[in-house]
């Protein structure tokens, strides 16, 4: 009996295990719904310690749904990765599914159609797979053996997170690069990428993906940092890594303290910025790695030149030694050929950002001495430098033919050795020269005489060429006139020669200043008419036709508080804008200067404020074009002979094709101290951005102090914060510029301070529009109670951290070529 029972149990056991076995063989791993959108959905996926969260979201000012990853622990929501960038869902019916067999993640819409999916790469099917959101913000699919099947870090969007690799897998060919979005709120891929260029010595580059051209080059790795970002060496938040081996080449940043929240973002305009979360201020503090100035534009100066922002020449370009400006393209060419014998010498340049290494040769092992010898041995070697400056230094880098995109750095930088013909001018200065040198001198003189002759000949040709180009300018202008008249567009065209003569050939003594788009010169026509000529930087890649259309539209804007555009001139790659001349310079010249400021009495100051408001109102709504100035500041308010204010540089963003052209995206808009928070931080701008700048100007005019240079010893407040503090402490009159001593009704001044504060409100919607402002200025509208202004602390949260934060520094860099953060 017992044995029968035993048998029964055994059979049952066998049967059961058979069922189990067959079920493992037959049933598929089910498809799991990881995240379901909508009311009845099961929310989001959260990383173990709760730093990141993945789920469906709708970006600001949109009604589309995307699957993304964001920081769970901070608000407002900061998205760092988006799956269905190009295939947004229209409603809340999306589901993120995991195919348990293949390991494929996919997003399906309400009808079950697939809108996005990962690629199948599960080596052994039928292993259970899992989806996890890691603490680093990486969404991963793993098989049952914990092998990685897929990870979001392999498909970066516009955000680089610590631990994410940018570069190339040399085995699979996979290229990981950041890709900008078309706007800060629309994740659709935009036109810029940040990746590793593996030609020559690998380097980081930002490219315009439409043209494939490099627009900015952080550069190669020198053992300590990326050459264009020497600040990485002393960075307090991250450590940078650049790995080059047989399998892969990549760049990565790692956090020094894992509790820091830090990300790097490629903005829609192609700039890379770094953002660090400030727990104290509850916002992202932004900084721009590397220098940020004109010289950052890739190859701005052409071949064989150095870009130096402190240089004396126009466009900051200097030819390398033994090179001369080349009229054909903007670069420089060698004046005397290399002798290509052992006698060549090298000129050392210090503190350089090394040039483009995409066609360089390198060797990680050889020393600098051997590097020099090898360079001498190869006739096409034009320069060399140390490859790895870590420790005692090692490795060798050679450049051949042209040197491109080299600049002087203000901090850090490296030695660069340029090859030169033996016969250098410095040897001429040597008093103890011997026969050999004398012989050299004779040869030199001969070359000199020949060169003079050749130059003379060239000069003749040149004059002839200018004559021709005058003709072409006139012809072109005529044809333009003919075209334009059809559309009712008519704009005076000036010929280049008369402008050149009027400005004394753009001489430095005629230079009135340097704006964000190029230098401005004073000119006088033979009949005595005075003009101001803005010479637009040559790098504008905007098409001629668009430029003409824009300029003629802008020229149609006529208002007594706008500087009048008289016409333009276009010659080859030169674009000049001709304005009426303003004898009294700009507002900042008066209100911030100790004695000059007394010239502007209260009545005049009020008139000036009203004039600026009228000009701005016209730009915003009364003109045919709705124009947002975007760089309104006291130095852009010019004063005529009666001290009437006239807004200048309006429409420049349009004229310069800022929104259309890659070269210009390295150009700059906005000036710290006048930028509203939503523009500086989120890049959104509207007419209300100009209202903010206007408010800053009003407070500056009343107080006679700069918002940006303002330093309050007691608090860390800027002018806005100071004005606000005085306002809530009910002693606003303390803000007033005491050097203006004429009698005025205090209530009148109070009204201006009040209007200033209303205009600088944190939220754009809390700021009035210019038509309300105009009414308020005339006392025809009740003033709402202001609340705390935007950017009211002195530590303007978008300043490069690397610059020391003292008042001096703030007031120095007033030019609008600061960071463009649209
Ligand atoms: C979400 O809900 C679905 C069914 O509604 C379920 O199959 C799935 O396991 C859930 N996912 C999670 C992560 O809870
Ligand atoms: C899938 O693979 C193709 C080709 O390898 C690649 O272009 C694509 O980006 C991949 N997509 C995803 C979402 O992994
Ligand atoms: C640079 O040199 C340092 C010190 O000699 C060495 O530790 C490092 O690995 C080198 N780096 C590279 C990229 O060759
Ligand atoms: C990391 O940062 C956190 C918060 O800022 C701080 O409390 C902690 O002490 C830091 N850890 C280290 C190792 O510095
Ligand atoms: C000089 O260097 C170039 C680039 O590496 C190389 O192609 C060429 O063969 C070298 N010439 C000599 C003579 O070594
Ligand atoms: C330019 O000059 C300023 C002020 O003298 C200095 O701080 C900065 O380092 C210089 N920059 C370069 C690239 O030489």
């Amino acid at each position: 009996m017992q044995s029968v029972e035993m048998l029964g149990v055994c059979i049952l056991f066998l049967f059961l295990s058979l069922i189990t076995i067959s079920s493992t063989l037959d049933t598929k791993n089910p498809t799991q719904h990881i995240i379901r959108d909508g009311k009845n959905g099961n929310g989001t996926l959260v990383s173990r310690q709760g730093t990141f969260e993945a789920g469906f979201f709708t970006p600001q000012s949109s009604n589309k749904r995307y699957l993304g990853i964001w920081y769970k622990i901070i608000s407002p929501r900061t998205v760092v990765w988006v799956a269905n960038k190009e295939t947004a869902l229209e409603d809340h019916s999306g589901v993120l599914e995991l195919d348990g067999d293949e390991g494929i993640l996919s997003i399906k819409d309400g009808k079950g159609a697939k809108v996005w999916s990962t690629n199948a790469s599960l080596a052994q099917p039928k292993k259970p797979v899992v989806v996890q959101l890691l603490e680093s913000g990486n969404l991963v699919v793993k098989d049952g053996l914990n092998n990685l099947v897929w990870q979001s870090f392999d498909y970066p969007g516009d955000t680089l997170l610590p631990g994410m690799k940018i570069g190339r897998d040399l085995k699979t060919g996979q290229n990981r690069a950041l890709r900008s979005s078309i706007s800060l709120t629309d994740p659709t891929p935009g036109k810029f990428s940040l990746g590793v260029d593996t030609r020559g010595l690998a380097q980081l580059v930002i490219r315009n993906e439409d043209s494939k051209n490099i627009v900015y080059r952080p550069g190669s790795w020198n053992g300590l940092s990326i050459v264009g970002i020497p600040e990485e060496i002393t960075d307090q938040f991250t450590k940078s890594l650049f790995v080059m081996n047989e399998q892969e080449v990549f760049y990565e940043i790692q956090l020094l303290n894992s509790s820091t929240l830090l990300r790097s973002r490629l903005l829609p305009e192609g700039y890379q910025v770094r953002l660090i979360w400030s727990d104290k201020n509850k916002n992202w503090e932004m900084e721009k790695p590397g220098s940020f100035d004109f010289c950052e534009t890739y190859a701005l100066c052409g071949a064989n030149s150095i870009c130096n922002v402190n240089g004396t020449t126009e466009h900051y370009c200097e030819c390398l030694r033994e090179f001369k400006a080349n009229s054909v393209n903007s670069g420089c060419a060698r004046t005397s050929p290399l002798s290509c014998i052992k006698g060549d010498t090298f000129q050392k340049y210090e503190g350089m950002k090394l040039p483009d290494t995409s066609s360089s040769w390198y060797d990680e092992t050889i020393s600098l001495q051997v590097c020099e010898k090898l360079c001498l041995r190869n006739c096409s070697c034009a320069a060399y430098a140390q490859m790895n400056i870590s420790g005692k230094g090692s490795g060798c880098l050679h450049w051949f033919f042209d040197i491109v995109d080299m600049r002087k750095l203000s901090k850090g930088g490296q030695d660069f050795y340029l090859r030169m013909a033996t016969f250098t001018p410095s040897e001429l200065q040597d008093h103890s020269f011997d026969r050999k040198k004398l012989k050299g001198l004779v040869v030199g003189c001969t070359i000199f005489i020949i060169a003079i002759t050749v130059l003379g000949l060239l000069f003749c040709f040149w004059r002839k060429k200018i004559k021709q180009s005058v003709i072409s300018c006139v012809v072109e202008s005529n044809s333009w006139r003919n075209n334009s008249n059809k559309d009712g567009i008519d704009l005076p065209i000036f010929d280049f020669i008369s402008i050149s003569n009027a400005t004394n050939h753009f001489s430095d003594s005629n230079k009135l200043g340097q704006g964000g788009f190029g230098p401005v010169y004073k000119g006088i026509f033979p009949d005595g008419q005075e003009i101001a000529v803005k010479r637009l930087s040559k790098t504008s890649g905007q098409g001629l036709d668009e430029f003409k259309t824009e300029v003629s539209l802008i020229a149609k804007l006529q208002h007594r508080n706008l500087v009048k555009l008289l016409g333009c001139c276009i010659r080859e790659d030169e674009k000049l804008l001709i304005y009426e001349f303003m004898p009294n310079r700009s507002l900042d010249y008066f209100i911030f200067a100790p004695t000059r400021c007394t010239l502007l009495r209260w009545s005049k100051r009020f008139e000036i404020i009203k004039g600026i408001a009228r000009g701005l109102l016209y730009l915003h709504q009364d003109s045919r074009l709705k124009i947002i100035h975007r760089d309104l500041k006291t130095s852009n308010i010019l004063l005529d002979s009666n001290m009437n204010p006239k807004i200048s540089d309006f429409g420049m963003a349009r004229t310069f094709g800022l929104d259309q052209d890659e070269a210009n995206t390295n150009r700059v808009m906005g000036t710290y101290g006048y930028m509203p928070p939503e523009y500086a931080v989120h890049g959104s701008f509207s007419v209300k951005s100009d209202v903010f700048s206007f408010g800053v100007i009003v407070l500056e005019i009343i107080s006679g102090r700069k918002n940006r240079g303002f330093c309050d010893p007691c608090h860390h407040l800027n002018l806005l914060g100071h004005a606000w503090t005085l306002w809530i402490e009910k002693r606003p009159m303390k803000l007033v510029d005491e050097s203006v001593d004429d009698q005025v009704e205090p209530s009148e001044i109070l009204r201006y301070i009040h209007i200033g504060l209303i205009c600088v409100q944190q939220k754009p919607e809390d700021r009035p529009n210019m038509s309300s402002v105009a009414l308020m200025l005339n006392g025809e509208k009740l003033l709402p109670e202001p609340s705390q202004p935007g950017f009211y602390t002195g530590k303007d949260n978008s300043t490069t951290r690397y610059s020391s934060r003292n008042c001096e520094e703030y007031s120095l860099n007033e030019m609008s070529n600061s960071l463009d953060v649209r």
Side-chain angles (χ1 to χ4, degrees):
M1 189 62 192
Q2 253 188 10
S3 60
V4 174
E5 250 176 42
M6 273 297 280
L7 193 68
V9 171
C10 273
I11 289 173
L12 191 66
F13 183 75
L14 208 65
F15 181 68
L16 279 178
S17 35
L18 264 176
I19 288 178
T20 331
I21 288 168
S22 73
S23 76
T24 22
L25 285 177
D26 288 351
T27 43
K28 287 162 72 88
N29 290 306
T31 295
Q32 308 168 36
H33 288 176
I34 306 299
I35 303 170
R36 182 187 280 282
D37 198 6
K39 272 210 189 71
N40 305 321
N42 44 10
T44 57
L45 206 60
V46 177
S47 66
R48 188 167 299 176
Q49 286 165 40
T51 310
F52 286 97
E53 180 170 27
F56 287 93
F57 73 100
T58 302
Q60 234 181 18
S61 63
S62 159
N63 44 21
K64 301 215 157 81
R65 291 297 274 178
Y66 296 92
L67 179 85
I69 299 173
W70 57 83
Y71 293 92
K72 184 173 171 58
I73 49 181
I74 61 172
S75 109
R77 180 165 50 210
T78 308
V79 176
V80 295
W81 185 82
V82 177
N84 52 329
K85 290 194 279 273
E86 286 162 285
T87 48
L89 292 160
E90 302 293 337
D91 55 22
H92 289 236
S93 65
V95 187
L96 176 71
E97 283 184 3
L98 174 67
D99 179 318
D101 284 326
E102 304 283 347
I104 295 177
L105 267 182
S106 55
I107 299 176
K108 289 187 179 152
D109 64 15
K111 300 191 191 84
K114 206 184 264 184
V115 299
W116 175 89
S117 83
T118 63
N119 291 337
S121 49
L122 193 56
Q124 288 168 291
K126 308 236 165 155
K127 284 264 160 48
V129 287
V130 289
V131 178
Q132 281 172 359
L133 181 59
L134 304 184
E135 215 47 49
S136 57
N138 193 2
L139 181 68
V140 298
V141 178
K142 286 177 171 172
D143 69 12
L145 300 173
N146 212 26
N147 294 320
L148 200 59
V149 178
W150 180 90
Q151 60 175 344
S152 63
F153 270 19
D154 281 343
Y155 301 91
D158 65 1
T159 302
L160 179 70
L161 291 174
M164 197 160 168
K165 291 174 179 177
I166 289 293
R168 204 178 274 272
D169 185 321
L170 300 174
K171 288 265 148 60
T172 64
Q174 185 178 29
N175 188 22
R176 302 183 191 93
L178 295 189
R179 183 69 183 255
S180 65
S181 308
I182 52 177
S183 82
L184 288 178
T185 49
D186 183 346
T188 310
K191 61 176 169 181
F192 297 97
S193 70
L194 167 64
V196 173
D197 183 348
T198 49
R199 298 171 300 163
L201 176 61
Q203 51 183 354
L204 278 182
V205 293
I206 295 178
R207 275 180 204 279
N208 178 329
E209 287 295 322
D210 294 346
S211 64
K212 298 287 171 198
N213 289 334
I214 298 177
V215 291
Y216 169 59
R217 187 183 62 91
S220 52
W221 180 255
N222 63 18
L224 295 177
S225 75
I226 295 291
V227 294
I229 321 175
E231 298 87 351
E232 283 187 338
I233 301 169
T234 51
D235 193 276
Q236 49 171 319
F237 294 109
T238 60
K239 181 177 120 170
S240 304
L241 215 67
F242 199 95
V243 173
M244 287 192 288
N245 56 34
E246 252 105 80
Q247 284 85 44
E248 54 187 349
V249 179
F250 68 86
Y251 172 72
E252 180 183 331
I253 51 171
Q254 294 177 343
L255 288 178
L256 295 178
N257 179 343
S258 61
S259 53
T260 315
L261 297 187
L262 178 149
R263 66 199 164 104
S264 183
R265 187 164 188 196
L266 184 62
L267 296 181
E269 300 79 12
Y271 307 114
Q272 190 197 359
V273 291
R274 189 165 91 160
L275 298 122
I276 298 164
W277 179 256
S278 159
D279 255 341
K280 202 165 120 255
N281 299 337
K282 297 278 171 255
N283 63 5
W284 289 99
E285 304 205 329
M286 176 161 60
E287 42 184 63
K288 172 80 184 71
S291 320
F292 196 80
D293 50 41
F294 267 57
C295 290
E296 289 299 277
T297 309
Y298 178 74
L300 179 75
C301 293
N304 303 311
S305 58
I306 299 177
C307 195
N308 183 356
V309 283
N310 287 352
T312 50
T313 56
E314 197 195 338
H315 299 315
Y316 316 117
C317 299
E318 292 161 16
C319 285
L320 290 170
R321 218 169 127 188
E322 290 197 346
F323 284 82
K324 241 180 113 175
N326 186 343
S327 55
V328 183
N329 46 49
S330 57
C332 308
R334 234 178 235 290
T335 46
S336 48
L338 289 173
S339 55
C340 199
I341 48 170
K342 259 186 158 173
D344 283 345
T345 55
F346 289 91
Q347 165 82 33
K348 181 175 173 182
Y349 287 92
E350 289 171 0
M352 292 293 148
K353 171 181 168 189
L354 295 183
D356 191 337
T357 52
S358 60
S359 50
S360 289
W361 170 90
Y362 65 93
D363 186 307
E364 286 163 55
T365 56
I366 59 184
S367 70
L368 203 60
Q369 289 75 17
V370 179
C371 191
E372 173 176 334
K373 288 211 181 83
L374 284 177
C375 187
L376 280 179
R377 232 177 266 165
N378 185 327
C379 277
S380 27
C381 176
Y384 73 91
Q386 186 123 63
M387 184 182 161
N388 182 348
I389 58 170
S390 159
K392 286 205 187 106
S394 61
C396 170
L397 242 172
H398 282 175
W399 284 267
F400 304 93
F401 310 108
D402 284 342
I403 306 297
V404 177
D405 195 39
M406 181 157 71
R407 69 165 295 175
K408 176 115 178 86
L409 290 172
S410 49
K411 260 191 220 153
Q414 277 171 256
D415 294 344
F416 172 82
Y417 301 87
L418 175 74
R419 188 178 191 164
M420 312 218 299
T422 322
F423 186 73
T424 62
S426 68
E427 286 177 55
L428 274 179
Q429 288 154 12
D430 193 347
H431 293 298
S432 60
F433 61 75
D434 51 20
R435 287 186 73 87
K436 189 178 150 200
K437 283 182 181 163
L438 192 64
K439 198 174 141 200
L441 185 61
V442 172
V443 174
C445 283
T446 320
I447 292 176
F448 182 66
I449 290 165
I450 294 173
I452 288 282
T453 319
V454 170
L455 279 177
L457 284 172
L458 281 178
F459 183 65
C460 291
F461 279 120
W462 180 64
R463 290 197 52 146
K464 215 169 149 188
K465 196 179 158 203
I466 283 187
K467 276 195 192 132
Q468 282 168 353
S469 68
V470 174
I471 294 166
S472 79
C473 191
V474 172
V475 168
E476 187 174 77
S477 57
N478 282 339
S479 61
W480 173 9
R481 277 220 170 98
N482 293 343
N483 284 342
S484 313
N485 280 340
K486 277 184 249 151
D487 314 315
I489 298 168
D490 196 9
L491 177 72
I493 315 249
F494 293 80
D495 75 82
F496 187 80
I497 296 300
S498 49
I499 298 295
S500 179
N501 285 338
T503 57
N504 205 358
H505 306 281
F506 303 102
S507 74
D508 273 348
S509 57
N510 282 47
K511 197 160 163 179
L512 293 171
Q514 171 81 43
F517 299 94
V520 182
Y521 298 87
K522 180 181 177 175
I524 306 178
F525 282 134
D527 65 1
Q529 192 195 355
E530 292 181 303
I531 51 167
V533 179
K534 177 158 253 170
R535 192 177 197 182
L536 298 182
S537 311
K538 286 178 189 160
T539 43
S540 159
Q542 191 191 27
L544 218 51
D545 287 337
E546 295 153 82
F547 177 78
K548 287 173 183 171
T549 313
E550 281 298 343
V551 170
S552 47
L553 283 176
I554 302 296
K556 279 202 173 312
L557 300 179
Q558 302 232 350
H559 188 274
R560 69 193 148 107
N561 296 112
L562 300 183
V563 175
K564 191 165 159 46
L565 180 63
L566 300 175
C568 75
C569 171
I570 299 165
R571 175 174 166 265
E572 286 171 19
D573 54 352
E574 288 270 9
K575 289 172 189 158
L576 307 175
L577 294 173
I578 292 93
Y579 291 95
E580 62 176 329
F581 178 70
M582 289 289 131
N584 277 325
R585 305 213 196 181
S586 50
L587 191 53
D588 61 339
Y589 183 70
F590 285 91
I591 57 172
F592 302 132
T595 48
R596 277 194 293 269
C597 65
T598 57
L599 294 171
L600 288 184
R601 326 204 88 195
W602 285 121
S603 51
K604 195 78 219 173
R605 289 186 189 222
F606 295 159
E607 267 178 42
I608 289 176
I609 291 173
K610 286 178 182 167
I612 301 169
R614 280 192 300 266
L616 206 50
L617 178 60
Y618 176 79
L619 286 179
H620 284 180
Q621 63 184 60
D622 292 348
S623 67
R624 256 196 322 140
L625 306 164
K626 176 171 163 177
I627 290 189
I628 301 172
H629 190 298
R630 292 202 277 188
D631 197 13
L632 199 65
K633 54 182 169 181
T634 49
S635 58
N636 272 340
I637 309 294
L638 306 188
L639 298 170
D640 71 9
S641 48
N642 294 323
M643 301 298 258
N644 292 321
K646 293 191 181 227
I647 300 174
S648 74
D649 268 11
F650 55 88
M652 281 304 279
R654 293 178 58 113
T655 326
F656 219 65
L658 266 177
D659 300 324
Q660 302 126 23
D661 184 81
E662 49 141 313
N664 292 327
T665 51
N666 273 349
R667 217 137 282 280
V668 285
M669 282 302 301
T671 303
Y672 286 127
Y674 295 94
M675 268 193 255
E678 78 273 13
Y679 180 47
V681 176
H682 304 295
S684 61
F685 63 90
S686 63
V687 289
K688 296 294 182 71
S689 325
D690 282 350
V691 174
F692 185 94
S693 313
F694 174 79
V696 175
I697 292 176
V698 170
L699 294 173
E700 288 183 330
I701 292 176
I702 299 296
S703 65
R705 329 255 322 239
K706 285 184 189 184
N707 183 33
R708 193 178 157 87
F710 186 84
C711 213
D712 180 355
C714 316
H715 321 88
H716 287 287
L717 298 174
N718 62 11
L719 179 62
L720 305 188
H722 182 60
W724 171 243
T725 312
L726 293 174
W727 181 266
I728 50 178
E729 287 169 7
K730 305 224 180 299
R731 42 192 193 110
M733 293 301 282
K734 281 258 176 288
L735 186 72
V736 172
D737 189 350
E738 282 158 11
S739 53
V740 191
D741 57 7
D742 57 333
Q743 288 300 310
V744 68
E745 195 63 47
S747 67
E748 185 80 340
I749 296 191
L750 202 60
R751 195 153 51 84
Y752 281 83
I753 297 175
H754 195 159
I755 294 169
L757 282 172
I758 293 170
C759 291
V760 296
Q761 293 296 290
Q762 168 86 30
K763 293 193 186 135
E765 59 270 29
D766 293 342
R767 298 173 210 146
N769 55 26
M770 282 317 290
S771 53
S772 303
V773 172
L775 291 175
M776 290 173 185
L777 288 172
N778 290 329
E780 291 162 19
K781 197 171 163 66
L782 279 178
L783 303 180
E785 197 53 32
S787 47
Q788 178 179 300
F791 277 164
Y792 71 104
T793 62
K795 302 209 168 178
D796 138 7
N797 67 3
S798 21
T799 319
T800 308
R801 189 172 46 75
Y802 304 119
S803 66
S804 68
R805 285 178 160 160
N806 56 35
C807 309
E808 282 304 308
E809 190 122 357
Y810 273 132
S811 45
L812 274 178
N813 307 319
E814 274 280 279
M815 258 170 56
S816 43
N817 43 346
S818 41
L819 182 54
D820 182 357
V821 286
R822 280 174 301 146

